[in-house]
Amino acid sequence: MAKYFSKEHEWLELDGDVATVGITDYAQQALGDIVYVELPEVGKKLVKDGDAAVVESVKAASDVYAPVDGEILETNEMLEDNPGLVNEDAEGEGWFFRVKIDDESQLEDLMDQESYNDFIEGLED
Amino acid sequence: MSFQTHTGNRGLVLEEKLIFEQGEAGRCGVDLPKPDAVKSRLGGLERDSDVGLPGLSEPQVVRHYTRLSQKNFGIDSGFFPLGSCTMKHNPRLNEKVARMPGLADLHPMQPESTVQGALELIDSCAHWLMVLTGMPAVAMSPASGAQGELCGMMAIRAALDARGENRRRVLVPESAHGTNPATAAACGFTVDSIPATADGRVDLAAFEAKLGDDVAGIMLTNPNTCGLFERDVRKIADLVHAAGGYFYCDGANFNAIVGRVRPADLGIDAMHINLHKTFSTPHGGGGPGSGPVVFSDALAPFAPLPYVLHKDGKFHLVETASEQDGKKPFGRLKGFHGQMGMFIRALTYMKSHGADGLRQASGDAVLNANYLLARLKDKLSVAFPGYCMHEALFDDEFLKGTGVSTLDLAKAIIDEGFHPMTMYFPLVVHGALLVEPTETETKESIDQFCDAVLSLVAKAESGDAEFFKNAPYLTPRRRLDETAAARNPVLRWVPKNAE
Amino acid sequence: MRYLPLTPADRTAMLETIGAASVDDLYCDVPSGALLKEPVDLPYHQGEMQVEREMAALARKNTGTASAASFLGAGAYRHHVPATVDYIIQRGEFLTAYTPYQPEIAQGTLQYLFEFQTQVASITGMDVANASMWDGATSCAEAVLMACRATRRKKAVLSGGLHPHYREVTETYCQYSDTEVAGRDGHPEHQATTGELDDLIDNQTACVVVQYPDIFGRIQDHTKLADACHAKGALLIVVFTEAVAFGAIKSPGSFGADIVCGEGQSIGNALSYGGPYVGLFATTSKLVRQMPGRLCGETVDQDGKRGFVLTLSTREQHIRREKATSNICTNSGLCSLAFTVHMSLLGEDGYRGLAAINHERAVKTADALALVPGVSVVNETFFNEFTVRLPKSAAGVVEALAAKGVLGGVPLSRLYPNRDDLDAFLLVAATETNTDDDIAAFASALKEVLA
């Protein structure tokens, strides 16, 4: 399965035309202890770069933007009771939602793992 | 010497349970007369279950809240240099006057003839605020600084609507208080942020580039949240006016210039005044505040209801729009007429200081801040060059490599017996430390604070990060687990058997 | 000046350390011409005795409720405040503290806020309450905005029994956020019936707001209204102006209310000509993240000891900025302490007992006024406030009563200046502070005024 990354520190893993989306391990580290994740409603239409979710630490709330257009199929209900999953396993168990992608060409704007690694390395300077 | 006591108390630091854990049925802290038997008019909706309140006697209640008070740090306790909050001495005369018969026991809906002194008091407080700001009008009703902002921005929205213009963009500097963007959004505006220059002020070129016929105005704090005077303020005013917008000034830091600079001379259209900052009404652990708003002639007609009018030798309270010609109030902001108890305190404070004393107060506030800046600037990293106004801003560059954060340093300052400075605000400065000594501190107390901070910085530089990570050590409670509180919110007490 | 400790010698020494010649030099960024050279045109400083004398002279020009037989209500009520309350709130550690951002040295404030939240949730019958709002009217407006956020809808339906100030503030808050405010005009003689608002509730309605007891003093069961709201996906907001009432009548929570908010002045706080007061705000656990204002929560410290912190602050303006649930920052801290201390003194027995006396005093007042020729009591139900119909304009009667040392209620024309049909109605409140003599004085003065 192909995995993509955005400059807003979201990851996206593609399975057919369905993508699983979450925030990257780098993002969870930067945010610190996550205390709440506000997830979109199932059926909501996402617009690329529009608001998709909100992730909250004690002192910060960060918007998670939609990396692509699409419709929400499923959200990770485990995060309701255990938002700490995002800290423990951001790019696995701590996924946010699954979205049916409208336009695969939008994936071209995203980075692969290697480019993303370079990207965050550049940020740390 | 460290040992455990049987009770958990440690001398004067006393453990105190919640009142709900101390109650006993049958105890009561008031004695009430027995009501006569009457036929109930409650319409069958009589309460049929217990409320769940604990019973305590008066001495228990007094002891409980006295013990709780001893776990608090206030201005009365010590030096409280919390930047942008202006924690200065709260004179007790103000409290005494607010409790006088004829003021404390006035009902807001009494007939006008029975409250002439109260209306005169509001009018007098308004007069002082207008003279001190040089502005022609003031709305007294806003409940706090944040509601004052809402008042000012609603007046701007109403004025634009009256002009038939659909301007919706408000320019707000990055360094602004969070209330500014929140307020603009509540008035249906979108927020466009203006970057700061390297010397901590509005980037005039960037500001000018953002102006356009969709700009409703600018919200600018002056002196700004970095504790600096916006030296281009007049140009900013001229530019925003030329572009057809209004200038909202956040007056949170008016205390730095009161009696020395009149905001009217800077070209503003509206400004709120936090009476609990500049005019020292008590902060009370988070309120109540009061946020009167001064207006220019352009915005004055849109000021909210109600207001006091002095006419034919009598004071009137105008509560409806229809009574007036030429006024187009945007509405009502709160119940009744405003924070009267705060007007009383603020007027008492202003009369005590007088025009000369207020001028002295702002001068001493700025002098104290610059003295503190001068004493710390070689060891701490100053955020922006030059003199500051009423507060000194540092970034965390001086802590680089020590493993100690701004937060850690602040927590160690607590153990030294001071309230820490404001941390991590304004957001434009990395690891910000904003220190506001205020005019009511002695040189000795500022010296003592500076000496303590310098000794802690030396300790941080010596590599003792672990000490800082675990501070404070000597407080009634040590660092609290905020993550646990937010992940699993417990927002009220529930009886054990109900869990 | 007695509040300013710096001496001339201090100032000189400090300027030397700074390297500035004068204080004016520190103001070098002020545009030329804007820096005043002299004090502004206002009186100079005065000693404590002189200021107190001037302020006392203003106070003497008023007739306070303590020096008259007073029956005023309409959202603010005179109650006896125990001496303990005023002593506690004047302790410097409470009075001169800031918002508890440093929890290690603010456990006093935080613990009373936790107690306050629990008390408010208990009397309203709700799951949770916040750490206070500015007053009842702004709480009502914030509740409407909260309901709009929670339901993602843009229409509020206000009952005709809602206090006009609450309605006006709500309209002011909604006017620039594309929120429609619908509702009915109320009338004290038109019996409020269950279902009167049902036809206004549709699929776009975020909330219905009712007052309980309503502005005319009437008490009504809102269980069916709650059901009607929920059937359409709307929230029921129950507003109150007299917090003592819930010691005698069922809590709004028992009706199925989603938000309960109102004025807490009645408990612990002086009338003070309309402010500062304390807004109470309670809701269900489900809606807590949509709630405006500060919240205090329980946690533990590094040593495992129970402690309290401000929590869920990501809802607030200092973090969310333009996306915050409200712009509220400072709330009514010290007024909420007054509420909490008074409520702690009352306890279960005192709170219920106080409510019972208020009802008894109001019943006696209503019965006494009903005997005055030409006067009729309109209400079938009431707690401590009711409406009477007079044979002439109530505004004039109130002025005439004031001249006789009786503050005899609030004419509805003051609350509804554009409603000619309400001229003859007077809103009368009685509390435990009204003696039998007060009631007799009111009845006889009214008889004389109407004669």
Side-chain angles (χ1 to χ4, degrees), chain B residues 156-190:
Chain B
I156 289 175
R157 176 71 195 258
L160 291 169
D161 288 355
R163 278 160 47 180
E165 292 186 41
N166 193 33
R167 294 164 176 262
R168 291 291 176 269
R169 196 154 52 93
V170 171
L171 306 178
V172 182
E174 284 171 346
S175 59
H177 284 119
T179 48
N180 288 180
T183 299
C187 297
F189 292 121
T190 57

Side-chain angles (χ1 to χ4, degrees), chain B residues 193-204:
Chain B
S193 79
I194 321 169
T197 57
D199 69 349
R201 280 135 174 123
V202 167
D203 183 332
L204 200 61

Side-chain angles (χ1 to χ4, degrees), chain B residues 223-264:
Chain B
N224 69 22
T225 57
C226 301
L228 303 170
F229 197 91
E230 291 283 353
R231 58 173 83 94
D232 292 323
V233 60
R234 270 204 187 142
K235 275 179 216 145
I236 291 167
D238 291 345
L239 286 168
V240 77
H241 288 150
Y246 295 99
F247 181 178
Y248 184 84
C249 182
D250 181 326
N253 296 332
F254 186 49
N255 56 303
I257 58 172
V258 62
R260 291 175 181 267
V261 179
R262 297 183 310 169

Side-chain angles (χ1 to χ4, degrees), chain B residues 36 47 201 286 351 477, chain C residues 29 54 246 306 331 364:
Chain B
D36 295 336
R47 177 176 271 281
R201 280 135 174 123
K351 280 175 177 284
R477 285 293 179 271
Chain C
D29 289 330
E54 285 187 12
F246 304 137
R306 178 172 70 180
N331 48 20
K364 286 199 162 178

Side-chain angles (χ1 to χ4, degrees), chain B residues 477-496:
Chain B
R477 285 293 179 271
R478 297 187 55 207
R479 281 196 210 192
L480 290 126
D481 189 343
E482 298 190 35
T483 302
R487 278 186 179 166
N488 179 27
V490 178
L491 305 174
R492 64 173 291 181
W493 178 83
V494 281
K496 280 279 174 282

Side-chain angles (χ1 to χ4, degrees), chain C residues 109-303:
Chain C
T109 297
L110 286 159
Q111 186 168 333
Y112 87 65
L113 288 177
F114 191 78
E115 293 175 351
F116 172 81
Q117 289 174 187
T118 307
Q119 288 168 338
V120 174
S122 299
I123 65 169
T124 54
M126 302 300 284
D127 298 333
V128 289
N130 73 10
S132 84
M133 306 295 284
W134 293 318
D135 70 357
T138 53
S139 298
C140 176
E142 292 276 7
V144 167
L145 295 179
M146 169 176 158
C148 291
R149 281 193 303 276
T151 59
R152 298 176 196 205
R153 296 178 180 182
K154 289 275 188 184
K155 180 182 164 190
V157 174
L158 310 188
S159 144
L162 181 65
H163 193 299
H165 287 183
Y166 289 46
R167 182 192 190 113
E168 288 162 29
V169 173
T170 302
E171 286 169 348
T172 301
Y173 270 64
C174 289
Q175 64 187 334
Y176 299 130
S177 60
D178 301 325
T179 305
E180 181 193 348
V181 180
R184 297 258 192 269
D185 281 337
H187 191 289
E189 284 179 331
H190 300 168
Q191 189 52 43
T193 52
T194 303
E196 65 163 347
L197 296 169
D198 286 6
D199 60 311
L200 291 175
I201 310 170
D202 57 27
N203 292 331
Q204 288 311 305
T205 305
C207 60
V208 173
V209 183
V210 288
Q211 186 175 319
Y212 167 79
D214 75 7
I215 182 64
F216 308 115
R218 299 174 301 198
I219 309 170
Q220 202 183 342
D221 187 332
H222 295 296
T223 311
K224 284 191 178 137
L225 180 60
D227 293 342
C229 289
H230 297 154
K232 290 272 167 65
L235 304 183
L236 177 65
I237 299 173
V238 177
V239 166
F240 59 92
T241 61
E242 170 53 289
V244 174
F246 304 137
I249 58 175
K250 284 183 179 161
S251 71
S254 69
F255 300 149
D258 300 285
I259 303 172
V260 180
C261 62
E263 181 54 67
Q265 169 272 328
S266 272
I267 298 176
N269 286 279
L271 285 169
S272 193
Y273 199 52
Y277 291 172
V278 49
L280 310 184
F281 198 107
T283 188
T284 58
S285 298
K286 195 178 136 205
L287 291 172
V288 66
R289 285 181 189 272
Q290 299 295 338
M291 187 152 50
R294 302 224 150 101
L295 278 168
C296 171
E298 183 183 314
T299 187
V300 292
D301 80 350
Q302 210 172 331
D303 297 334

